[in-house]
Amino acid sequence: SQTIHQWPATLVQPVGSPLSLECTVEGTSNPNLYWYRQAAGRGLQLLFYSVGIGQISSEVPQNLSASRPQDRQFILSSKKLLLSDSGFYLCAWSGGGMIDEQFFGPGTRLTVL
Amino acid sequence: AQSVSQHNHHVILSEAASLELGCNYSYGGTVNLFWYVQYPGQHLQLLLKYFSGDPLVKGIKGFEAEFIKSKFSFNLRKPSVQWSDTAEYFCAANNAGNMLTFGGGTRLMVKP
C-alpha cells in the first residue's frame, strides 16, 4: 500500500536561516506531488505541484521554492526564512487524473522566530 | 478566479443531532467536488467526492453530500453525529486542468 512521509514533524528556525522540508512517497510510481500551507480559518493554500521529476509549478509567488530530485521525493526549501513563513506545511500525492483523490502526509509545523 | 466558501467556521453539536455543513463554489462548467476531514492528530483524508452521475454522494462513516448545480453548492450532511465526528472538515473543488481549491474549513465539535 502507498504511504507518504514528511520530516521533520516540527521545526523551529530563526529568521534568515535556510529551510528544507522533505516529503517521500512509497508504493506508487510517477505520482503528482503537492505542497500546501494550512492556516487556521483559511484552509489549504497550494504552494507548488509537480507532475514529474524536475517539473515544478508554483501557484503563489513567495519566499519558498520546491524541487523534485527523484520520482517520489518532493522538497520544500527557502534560502532565508521570514516570520511569515511560519505555518503548517502539508505534502500530498495523487494519481494523474483531476478527479483522483489526494493523499496527505502528517505535516510539518514550522515556527520562525 | 475559482473559489470555495464554507459558511460556518465553527459548529458545536450534541451527539445524535443532525449535521449540515455548507459549501459553495464559484466554478463554471463541469466541476469535481470533494469533502476532506482531519480528525485530531490524524492526516487529512477523503470523506467523499462527486464528479458525475447521482448528485447525492455517500461517503464513509455515514456522511453524504448533495451537489446542487443551480445553487453552486455541495453541502455535507449526517443524520446523527457522534462524538468521534469531532474534526475539521474541508470542502474542495476543481475542474479540468486546474488544481484543487480548498475552502477555509469548518471545525466541528460534538459534545457527548
Side-chain angles (χ1 to χ4, degrees):
Chain A
S1 65
Q2 302 91 355
T3 55
I4 178 168
H5 304 279
Q6 285 186 247
W7 63 88
T10 60
L11 188 61
V12 180
Q13 291 284 95
V15 168
S17 64
L19 173 74
S20 181
L21 303 182
E22 189 163 342
C23 171
T24 58
V25 181
E26 296 176 358
T28 186
S29 59
N30 197 31
N32 290 343
L33 295 170
Y34 311 85
W35 277 112
Y36 289 91
R37 179 162 51 205
Q38 183 177 3
R42 301 215 315 251
L44 278 72
Q45 179 187 35
L46 180 65
L47 303 175
F48 301 95
Y49 69 93
S50 171
V51 298
I53 295 174
Q55 300 178 62
I56 308 295
S57 296
S58 174
E59 289 293 295
V60 292
Q62 54 201 308
N63 185 41
L64 303 169
S65 62
S67 62
R68 185 170 177 174
Q70 300 179 45
D71 182 44
R72 288 169 289 177
Q73 183 184 31
F74 204 26
I75 296 172
L76 184 68
S77 304
S78 174
K79 292 182 179 178
K80 287 186 178 181
L81 283 169
L82 306 172
L83 286 173
S84 57
D85 292 324
S86 293
F88 191 59
Y89 291 84
L90 285 168
C91 181
W93 75 270
S94 73
M98 282 292 116
I99 61 172
D100 285 8
E101 174 182 355
Q102 290 189 18
F103 297 89
F104 287 83
T108 295
R109 174 75 60 191
L110 171 65
T111 303
V112 182
L113 301 175
Chain B
Q2 298 96 340
S3 67
V4 176
S5 301
Q6 292 181 240
H7 319 298
N8 312 100
H9 298 299
H10 292 90
V11 173
I12 302 174
L13 295 173
S14 298
E15 276 195 313
S18 64
L19 170 72
E20 181 160 1
L21 301 182
C23 173
N24 286 93
Y25 61 93
S26 66
Y27 291 70
T30 302
V31 63
N32 306 308
L33 296 156
F34 306 78
W35 275 100
Y36 283 83
V37 60
Q38 189 169 32
Y39 297 104
Q42 295 189 28
H43 299 200
L44 203 64
Q45 60 185 285
L46 184 71
L47 261 184
L48 48 80
K49 66 181 180 183
Y50 168 83
F51 54 94
S52 67
D54 188 345
L56 185 61
V57 179
K58 295 196 183 295
I60 61 172
K61 304 186 179 185
F63 285 91
E64 65 179 30
E66 185 175 13
F67 169 54
I68 303 180
K69 189 173 181 179
S70 61
K71 295 185 177 180
F72 294 88
S73 71
F74 190 56
N75 292 355
L76 182 70
R77 300 194 296 247
K78 186 171 183 178
S80 176
V81 294
Q82 301 171 314
W83 175 79
S84 58
D85 293 323
T86 294
E88 188 161 16
Y89 294 81
F90 294 92
C91 183
N94 70 359
N95 57 9
N98 289 308
M99 294 295 108
L100 272 181
T101 299
F102 283 83
T106 299
R107 289 186 182 271
L108 171 66
M109 178 183 292
V110 180
K111 298 185 293 184

